[in-house]
Amino acid sequence: MSPPPGLPGLEQRFSRLLVVPGRGADAGADRGWHVLDSGPALEDAGVPILGTILAVHGNPTWSYLWRTVVARSVDRATVAGAWRVIAVDQLEMGFSQRTGIHRTLAQRVADLGALTDALRLEGPVVTLGHDWGGVISLGWAIDHPDLLAGVMLLNTAVHHPEGVPIPAPLRLAGARGMLAASTVQTTAFLDTTLALASPRLGDEVRAAYRAPYRGAARRGGIGGFVADIPVDARHESFAELERIAAGTARLGVPALMLWGPRDPIFSDRYLDDLIERMPHADVHRFEGAGHLVAEDRPVAEALFAWLDERLDRVPSAPPAAWTAPPAHRFDPIWRGLEERADDDGTAVIDMSARGDEGALRVSWRQLDERVRAIGAGLHAMGVKRGDRVSLLVPPGPTLSAVVYACLRIGAVVVVADAGLGVKGLTRAVRGAWPDVIIGEAPGLTAARALGWPGLRISASRLPRVSAAALGVATCLADVAALGARAALPDAPGPDDPAAILFTSGSTGPAKGVAYTHGQLAALRDTLAAHFGVTGDTGLVTGFAPFALLGPALGTRSATPDMDVSAPRTLTASAVAAAVRASDARMVFLSPAAVLNVVATSAALTPADREALGGVSAFLSTGAPVGAGLLERIGTLMPNASAHTPYGMTECLLVTDVTLEAIRDAASAPDRGVLVGAPIGDNRVLISALDDDGRATGEPGSEPGVLGEVLVSAPHLKDHYDRLWLTDRAAGRETPDAAAGAGGDGRWHRTGDIGHLDAAGRLWIEGRLPHVLVTADGPLAPVGPEQDIERADAVRRAAVVGVGPQGLRQAVAVVETTPPASRPRLADPAVTAAVRQATQTPIVAVLAVPALPTDIRHNSKIDRTRLSAWAERVLAGETTGAP
């Protein structure tokens, strides 16, 4: 039978009924299949077929799941060709025949093969599967290597870990006495599946999913699928699942995995297993999406974009991964530590115990021995190259030892700082899906309570009862003891994965940024060369991403007494104590930390001021820093050259500018924050904004052009972890000449907007999403904000837009001096001062006690949030703080 007309999004012209000779349990019988097939429509239009997408649904859905993919197949057709889509209704499911036969996994794979033979399907074929349809599609792929060109998967699994219970919804549905009641006699299982979809899934679409399953006689296949879940080796389908799992690991064709992480059935555990079997696969996790990811996100667009990019008329072999050309001899990130392995001088200082006397000092020899012991111990425990190790340890000697131990054995360190908050940290850890978690008790407690994955190792020895309660397998002391009797493995190479560093989350959910060993080494070399770092420099770091670079640079380092997840906790006295303890010549702080250091400078003693007077270089990065802030910190470090490098987690050092250069540019006509010229081999280009505020211009270096900042550098990230679509969107093609001497042609769209001046220096003017598209064209916010902040009553300002796109009006949201007691319209005097300070028309001025900023830097203003808040306030709604 065919689907009834009028189902939303389903075009009747794609619906076909086929009679297929059966196989296996169906041998000698013909079976009726229903499929959605875009082939006849493409043939009628005279469009050449590039290949076929064979789409297989799971339980309890049907081919309706793929309706958008089928329709897009025709909508995207050109004279050059199109991909045909065949979306099947498996037997006993959808509108295919009900035979009453119990179908095992092997039978369903055979069924699909019988269908494609009956269709006389020719290659190239790309399989597409979801839920148990993913397993079945992979079974077909393994059995048809001569036709196969690629595989595409949505939430599915080919292996379940031994000793781990199957997901609760399946366990409940399959329980004795519950199977028939929950799957066949009632719609409970179907209801549960639809409940996993986004609330935006309309009632009509939910009804369409129910259409083939009205009445118990139509739902036998739902129960049969649940009964066929191979929970252990005794199950009749276990051997077939093992065959498919093993065969999947041998598939060398291009692969794509699109995942909804909010899936209680096929969690990231199963994604991690699939990635291990197909490490060449492109992966994208749609944050916030669930089990029915095809309903939650624009999956069809992603599938065809991947086909266009990866298969491009179906190459005979999968594309090779990009490999950075070796610009010079590769020296691993731990080179500086190895060179000082016999040095009894101080390497790392832990200032968490207040004052000089309480500081914990670790020598180079001790650190090297600890790194080797922990690395060898982890390797002896089974941690291998490429395994992920999530670190929940605050900066200090322990974290330094663990990081370099992991890097030395080729394990991938996963660093997501506590400043992301519990929710953000949980999202980050689960997204990375580490094999091991090493942490202090607070982090391990969170890991246990929130169900974070990974073998748990305690940084310190815990009481036996506490260790058992937290699920801790061992501690670092025992790991090191094991390593004292074990050998280190061969060292990783420059192209091996090294680290995943999470962004601050200030522009959306924190993203994992993946670096190779070669890229980390390039970052070290860029920093050392530009700032002249030597073994005698000494480094004080109050900025978490750079707190681990001391051993790499071969210079001693100290972390001040502070909460590194909250930069505003750093005081001037703590910086002075760290400088004095380490005899440091370089201090590295975040902008938010600088604010509090200046604010607490009155507590400095003469000895503190003397210590700070010995600093020769001061760096502040993480957000653009204005001259005023650098001037204020300069009074505390009068002999230091003040620098404000520009970069991001994806490329930690791009440009640099000194306070002197900022002073010299004070009279320049340029708007924005001057962040300087590119460092070393780094390159910067600008893609001009069009009238709609989009960065569509050809990348170039013409002075004065407002646009998105594109960067290229030897230490530019390798990719975003498990975010293929995001990574694809962040890349940008440039003219061949733009790569420049020594460039590798890889460019990153930063999302920042700005311009280059005649001297090739970069000025930052805001973020791309914060551009106000007014009747007069695009308006960048930073220039007007700088104007407004010159007003005596204004401490800090944000300019945001209200009104329809193309006719946005500028609103100023300000922190005042003294601060406002509550959010409100600014006093008339403040409003007048703001409007007088800038030539940008300001339709309203709102005063708030504090502007919303990101957690890590406490300085990146959330203008998107402020804009929505200002809209509500000016519309007369009662609202609280932004």
Side-chain angles (χ1 to χ4, degrees):
M1 61 185 292
S2 297
L7 297 183
L10 181 61
E11 299 182 48
Q12 290 292 116
R13 61 176 174 151
F14 298 135
S15 190
R16 293 181 63 187
L17 296 176
L18 306 170
V19 176
V20 176
R23 289 184 184 168
D26 284 338
D30 289 339
R31 298 305 188 193
W33 287 72
H34 171 258
V35 302
L36 300 179
D37 185 359
S38 66
L42 294 173
E43 185 178 350
D44 291 345
V47 176
I49 302 297
L50 300 176
T52 300
I53 300 172
L54 180 61
V56 188
H57 67 86
N59 186 35
T61 56
W62 56 288
S63 58
Y64 185 74
L65 179 75
W66 308 116
R67 64 194 181 281
T68 306
V69 181
V70 177
R72 289 296 292 150
S73 164
V74 177
D75 293 343
R76 299 177 82 255
T78 67
V79 293
W83 282 86
R84 176 188 186 186
V85 179
I86 299 175
V88 306
D89 280 0
Q90 299 193 60
L91 293 173
E92 325 300 334
M93 304 292 289
F95 289 94
S96 287
Q97 183 178 349
R98 302 311 193 253
T99 70
I101 292 176
H102 172 61
R103 297 189 180 274
T104 63
L105 177 58
Q107 179 64 44
R108 290 198 174 277
V109 174
D111 291 343
L112 189 59
L115 172 68
T116 56
D117 285 352
L119 287 169
R120 301 181 185 275
L121 195 62
E122 298 179 351
V125 176
V126 177
T127 59
L128 169 61
H130 170 253
D131 190 90
W132 285 101
V135 184
I136 295 162
S137 70
L138 287 171
W140 186 95
I142 292 163
D143 294 342
H144 296 81
D146 53 326
L147 301 180
L148 188 69
V151 296
M152 303 187 293
L153 297 169
L154 278 59
N155 293 45
T156 187
V158 296
H159 173 74
H160 185 76
E162 186 177 352
V164 176
I166 64 172
L170 299 179
R171 191 166 64 248
L172 178 63
R176 180 177 298 181
M178 289 291 295
L179 178 61
S182 64
T183 60
V184 180
Q185 296 169 6
T186 72
T187 61
F189 190 80
L190 179 57
D191 296 340
T192 299
T193 301
L194 293 177
L196 299 177
S198 166
R200 295 188 299 272
L201 193 68
D203 291 342
E204 291 184 349
V205 172
R206 293 176 190 273
Y209 274 111
R210 298 177 189 278
Y213 303 117
R214 301 194 181 282
R218 302 284 300 170
R219 293 193 289 267
I222 296 177
F225 252 120
V226 175
D228 194 48
I229 297 172
V231 295
D232 55 40
R234 296 169 296 178
H235 195 281
E236 60 184 329
S237 287
F238 184 82
E240 178 68 358
L241 184 63
E242 288 288 287
R243 181 186 79 89
I244 294 173
T248 298
R250 295 191 294 271
L251 290 175
V253 294
L256 173 68
M257 302 176 197
L258 302 178
W259 214 260
R262 295 183 63 184
D263 186 347
I265 301 171
F266 296 109
S267 66
D268 280 340
R269 178 194 307 278
Y270 301 106
L271 173 62
D272 194 60
D273 174 76
L274 285 165
I275 292 173
E276 191 166 327
R277 295 173 193 276
M278 293 186 285
H280 63 283
D282 296 305
V283 180
H284 188 88
R285 295 171 72 256
F286 288 99
E287 197 61 59
H291 179 67
L292 291 179
V293 61
E295 297 291 351
D296 292 349
R297 296 293 186 271
V299 162
E301 295 299 326
L303 297 175
F304 285 110
W306 182 80
L307 289 170
D308 290 344
E309 185 167 314
R310 287 290 186 258
L311 271 74
D312 189 22
R313 304 303 176 85
V314 194
S316 58
W322 177 87
T323 301
H328 50 73
R329 182 175 69 89
F330 169 65
D331 287 320
I333 191 70
W334 58 84
R335 178 198 64 191
L337 176 59
E338 283 190 338
E339 289 178 346
R340 303 191 67 168
D342 296 328
D343 190 339
D344 289 317
T346 299
V348 180
I349 302 173
D350 182 2
M351 300 297 294
S352 59
R354 294 185 181 277
D356 295 354
E357 298 301 322
L360 172 64
R361 297 171 180 268
V362 176
S363 72
W364 291 101
R365 186 191 302 274
Q366 290 170 322
L367 182 59
D368 180 71
E369 290 173 351
R370 189 71 168 169
V371 165
R372 290 176 176 274
I374 292 174
L378 289 172
H379 180 65
M381 289 177 59
V383 179
K384 59 186 182 299
R385 184 176 300 186
D387 283 354
R388 297 182 171 201
V389 182
S390 180
L391 305 179
L392 304 176
V393 181
T398 298
L399 181 60
S400 295
V402 174
V403 164
Y404 285 93
C406 290
L407 293 173
R408 175 58 184 81
I409 66 174
V412 179
V413 296
V414 179
V415 181
D417 68 58
L420 294 175
V422 173
K423 184 177 180 180
L425 194 57
T426 296
R427 184 188 294 120
V429 173
R430 284 183 174 168
W433 202 262
D435 301 282
V436 179
I437 291 178
I438 300 177
E440 298 286 4
L444 296 173
T445 300
R448 179 71 170 192
L450 299 171
W452 296 348
L455 174 76
R456 297 178 194 130
I457 298 175
S458 175
S460 54
R461 193 180 298 279
L462 298 175
R464 184 175 301 176
V465 174
S466 298
L470 295 176
V472 170
T474 186
C475 67
L476 282 180
D478 291 341
V479 172
L482 178 64
R485 304 183 298 275
L488 286 167
D490 291 340
D495 299 324
D496 285 319
I500 298 171
L501 311 178
F502 276 85
T503 61
S504 66
S506 60
T507 57
K511 299 181 287 290
V513 180
Y515 279 90
T516 65
H517 279 269
Q519 289 156 358
L520 287 186
L523 170 63
R524 173 205 60 205
D525 295 344
T526 299
L527 181 64
H530 183 72
F531 293 105
V533 181
T534 69
D536 294 326
T537 299
L539 181 65
V540 168
T541 54
F543 186 46
F546 287 93
L548 298 166
L549 282 175
L553 293 164
T555 194
R556 62 190 174 278
S557 61
T559 303
D561 183 15
M562 65 178 295
D563 178 356
V564 293
S565 67
R568 282 184 284 201
T569 61
L570 182 61
T571 65
S573 298
V575 174
V579 169
R580 188 165 50 247
S582 60
D583 192 25
R585 297 292 177 264
M586 181 177 289
V587 174
F588 212 139
L589 306 178
S590 73
V594 174
L595 281 170
N596 202 54
V597 167
V598 171
T600 57
S601 60
L604 291 172
T605 67
D608 290 336
R609 293 186 180 275
E610 182 180 359
L612 293 175
V615 175
S616 59
F618 165 74
L619 290 73
S620 184
T621 190
V625 182
L629 189 56
L630 290 179
E631 293 274 7
R632 290 193 290 273
I633 196 69
T635 63
L636 305 182
M637 303 179 205
N639 298 312
S641 172
H643 297 255
T644 173
Y646 163 74
M648 61 286 306
T649 309
E650 294 85 348
C651 192
L652 287 165
L653 287 176
V654 178
T655 68
D656 180 42
V657 67
T658 64
L659 175 57
E660 290 74 17
I662 294 174
R663 286 170 175 161
D664 291 343
S667 60
D670 303 85
R671 308 194 86 189
V673 176
L674 175 62
V675 295
I679 297 170
D681 292 332
N682 301 351
R683 294 295 310 279
V684 173
L685 295 177
I686 301 294
S687 173
L689 302 183
D690 60 21
D691 291 340
D692 294 322
R694 298 174 301 177
T696 58
E698 187 71 29
S701 55
E702 182 181 349
V705 174
L706 176 65
E708 183 178 16
V709 179
L710 311 181
V711 301
S712 180
H715 55 278
L716 176 63
K717 69 164 174 70
D718 191 66
H719 62 278
Y720 287 121
D721 183 48
R722 303 182 180 183
L723 290 170
W724 176 74
L725 287 169
T726 306
D727 203 52
R728 180 174 178 269
R732 181 68 184 264
E733 296 290 334
T734 65
D736 292 341
D744 55 43
R746 297 187 310 128
W747 290 84
H748 172 67
R749 296 182 57 181
T750 65
D752 290 332
I753 55 170
H755 71 275
L756 296 169
D757 63 18
R761 300 176 303 183
L762 176 63
W763 297 71
I764 296 297
E765 300 183 66
R767 294 282 299 169
L768 191 59
H770 303 157
V771 171
L772 284 69
V773 182
T774 71
D776 297 324
L779 172 67
V782 169
E785 289 169 357
Q786 290 175 313
D787 295 339
I788 293 168
E789 287 171 354
R790 294 189 183 100
D792 291 340
V794 176
R795 178 180 178 271
R796 190 162 53 161
V799 171
V800 298
V802 297
Q805 185 74 351
L807 296 172
R808 300 287 272 176
Q809 302 290 314
V811 171
V813 186
V814 299
E815 294 177 5
T816 58
T817 303
S821 59
R822 58 180 177 81
R824 55 181 171 78
L825 285 171
D827 294 337
V830 173
T831 300
V834 166
R835 286 174 171 158
Q836 188 175 2
T838 179
Q839 295 181 355
T840 300
I842 302 294
V843 298
V845 181
L846 303 174
V848 295
L851 292 168
T853 61
D854 67 296
I855 298 174
R856 177 184 292 174
H857 304 293
N858 299 137
S859 57
K860 293 183 178 179
I861 298 171
D862 190 341
R863 296 186 185 90
T864 302
R865 177 175 161 188
L866 271 180
S867 178
W869 175 80
E871 290 264 16
R872 296 195 302 272
V873 171
L874 297 177
E877 296 182 24
T878 301
T879 183

